[in-house]
């Protein structure tokens, strides 16, 4: 990952969709490969990846360590996969032989044919064993975290991992002896396979659009602000000034006959001004 990963995560947390696109392009292969390896099904892998990125973008502001985005993204994939599968833990798993964490020889990694056999054998494992070995070697998930993921004790998680290793070895008949390596052979096999995974352009577009749409839908709606109607101004400023001047003059006393005449005058109705009608001029209102 680039040194700019922290910058991209920070920008994405503030709603920058361009930064989300950069994070997406940098982690898509690893995420899709993990979804495909866990599920063993291409269509299911597509749906898992969609939901995982939607989950990530909607909660990216809660990521405390931006530099850990890649492994956090894998965790999202694993959690989404977990939602759609029911694990079954057999009693026989408790008695599984615990192999060493490194159980494959270097020759397996150097041989494309042998590496392909390992990947095929992983796909044939039952869901619990497949998830245990993939999350441990691909995601670097230790036994105590595996236990929390499965909701079991650490001894059961360790037994699952041992059972997965033993089943894998028995399926491909490989020599388990190996000494000295910076990373386990299986980890490097999975990393190499992830870097070479191919995803169709339409699938890439669908995954990203789904994730961005989910992010947009998760944002709170902005309150609608109503515009205040503009005050009606007199069309003729001279009339306004004249009225002001007249209003300042002292009132003139009227006779009794004038008062009676005023009472007999019917006040005309003033038309109601709506948004669709023309504004009534000040002269018209006075008339």
């Amino acid at each position: 990952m680039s040194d700019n990963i922290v910058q991209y995560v920070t920008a994405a947390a503030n709603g920058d969709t361009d930064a989300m696109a950069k994070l997406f392009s940098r982690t898509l292969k690893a995420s899709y490969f993990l979804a495909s390896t866990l599920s063993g099904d291409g269509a299911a892998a597509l749906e898992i990846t969609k939901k995982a990125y939607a989950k990530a973008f909607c909660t990216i502001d809660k990521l405390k360590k931006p530099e850990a985005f890649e492994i956090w993204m894998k965790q999202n994939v694993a959690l989404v996969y977990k939602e759609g599968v029911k694990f079954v833990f057999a009693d026989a798993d408790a008695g599984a032989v615990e192999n060493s964490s490194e159980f494959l020889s270097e020759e397996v990694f150097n041989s494309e044919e042998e590496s392909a056999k390992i990947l095929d054998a992983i796909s044939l494992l039952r869901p619990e064993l497949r998830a245990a070995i993939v999350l441990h070697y691909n995601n670097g998930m230790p036994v105590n975290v595996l236990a929390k993921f499965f909701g079991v004790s650490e001894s059961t998680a360790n037994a699952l991992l041992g059972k997965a290793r033993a089943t894998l070895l028995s399926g491909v008949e490989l020599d388990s002896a190996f000494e000295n390596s910076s990373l386990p052979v299986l980890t490097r096999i999975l990393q190499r396979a992830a870097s070479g995974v191919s995803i169709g352009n339409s699938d890439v577009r669908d995954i990203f659009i789904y994730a961005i749409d989910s992010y947009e839908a998760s944002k709170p709606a902005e309150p609608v602000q109503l515009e205040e109607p503009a005050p009606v101004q007199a069309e003729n400023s001279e009339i306004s000034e004249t009225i002001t001047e007249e209003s300042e003059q002292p009132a003139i006393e009227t006779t009794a006959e004038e008062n009676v005449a005023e009472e007999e005058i019917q006040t005309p109705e003033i038309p109601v001004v709506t948004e669709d009608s023309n504004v009534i001029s000040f002269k018209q209102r006075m008339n």
Side-chain angles (χ1 to χ4, degrees):
M1 297 294 288
S2 169
D3 293 337
N4 292 329
I5 188 69
V6 174
Q7 177 183 349
Y8 293 149
V9 172
T10 303
N14 291 322
D16 188 338
T17 53
D18 288 337
M20 292 180 190
K22 290 182 174 65
L23 293 172
F24 175 78
S25 64
R26 288 170 180 267
T27 58
L28 177 59
K29 282 189 174 183
S31 299
Y32 181 81
F33 172 77
L34 175 59
S36 178
T37 306
L38 286 173
S39 65
D41 181 87
L46 180 61
E47 291 303 312
I48 291 170
T49 309
K50 280 182 179 180
K51 294 178 181 178
Y53 274 104
K55 181 182 181 70
F57 289 162
C58 290
T59 59
I60 194 170
D61 58 329
K62 295 179 176 59
L63 180 60
K64 296 180 179 179
K65 295 182 179 180
E67 64 275 10
F69 179 83
E70 184 176 16
I71 188 64
W72 181 68
M73 190 63 233
K74 289 180 178 179
Q75 290 174 357
N76 281 319
V77 173
L79 290 173
V80 172
Y81 164 72
K82 180 183 176 182
E83 292 172 357
V85 64
K86 184 178 181 180
F87 296 120
V88 178
F89 303 102
D91 294 337
D93 295 336
V97 177
E98 295 184 10
N99 302 91
S100 168
S101 180
E102 179 49 86
F103 65 107
L104 297 176
S105 65
E106 189 73 14
E107 286 73 17
V108 176
F109 177 77
N110 294 330
S111 169
E112 291 185 6
E113 182 180 353
E114 294 297 305
S115 295
K117 287 182 181 179
I118 291 294
L119 295 173
D120 289 341
I122 289 175
S123 67
L124 296 176
L125 294 173
R126 75 173 201 262
E128 301 78 27
L129 301 182
R130 184 169 64 242
I133 202 166
V134 170
L135 294 177
H136 180 72
Y137 287 95
N138 186 78
N139 287 25
M141 194 177 285
V143 173
N144 62 327
V145 180
L146 271 178
K148 292 180 181 179
F149 177 82
F150 287 117
V152 297
S153 65
E154 288 190 27
S155 59
T156 301
N158 201 23
L160 279 171
L161 195 53
K163 179 74 172 180
R165 294 181 185 126
T167 306
L168 197 62
L169 286 175
S170 64
V172 293
E173 299 180 353
L174 297 173
D175 184 5
S176 61
F178 181 78
E179 297 178 1
N180 187 22
S181 175
S182 58
L183 281 176
V185 170
L186 182 54
T187 299
R188 287 181 284 155
I189 290 175
L190 292 170
Q191 288 179 345
R192 183 172 60 190
S195 65
V197 73
S198 178
I199 312 172
N201 290 335
S202 60
D203 289 339
V204 173
R205 183 176 60 253
D206 290 346
I207 294 170
F208 186 69
I209 291 176
Y210 181 91
I212 292 298
D213 286 348
S214 298
Y215 167 75
E216 294 291 343
S218 70
K219 295 192 301 183
E222 297 181 359
V224 179
Q225 295 183 353
L226 300 177
E227 296 183 359
E228 294 184 0
V232 180
Q233 298 181 352
E235 291 183 355
N236 193 331
S237 59
E238 294 181 358
I239 297 176
S240 178
E241 293 175 358
T242 302
I243 294 174
T244 303
E245 292 176 357
E246 291 178 352
S247 63
E248 294 176 354
Q249 296 177 4
I252 302 175
E253 295 182 2
T254 58
T255 62
E257 294 179 356
E258 290 174 337
N259 289 335
V260 173
E262 287 179 359
E263 291 176 358
E264 293 177 352
I265 297 175
Q266 298 295 325
T267 304
E269 294 185 0
I270 300 176
V272 178
V273 180
T274 64
E275 294 181 357
D276 297 331
S277 63
N278 296 324
V279 177
I280 305 302
S281 68
F282 193 87
K283 275 186 178 181
Q284 288 175 314
R285 280 196 255 176
M286 289 300 296
N287 292 334

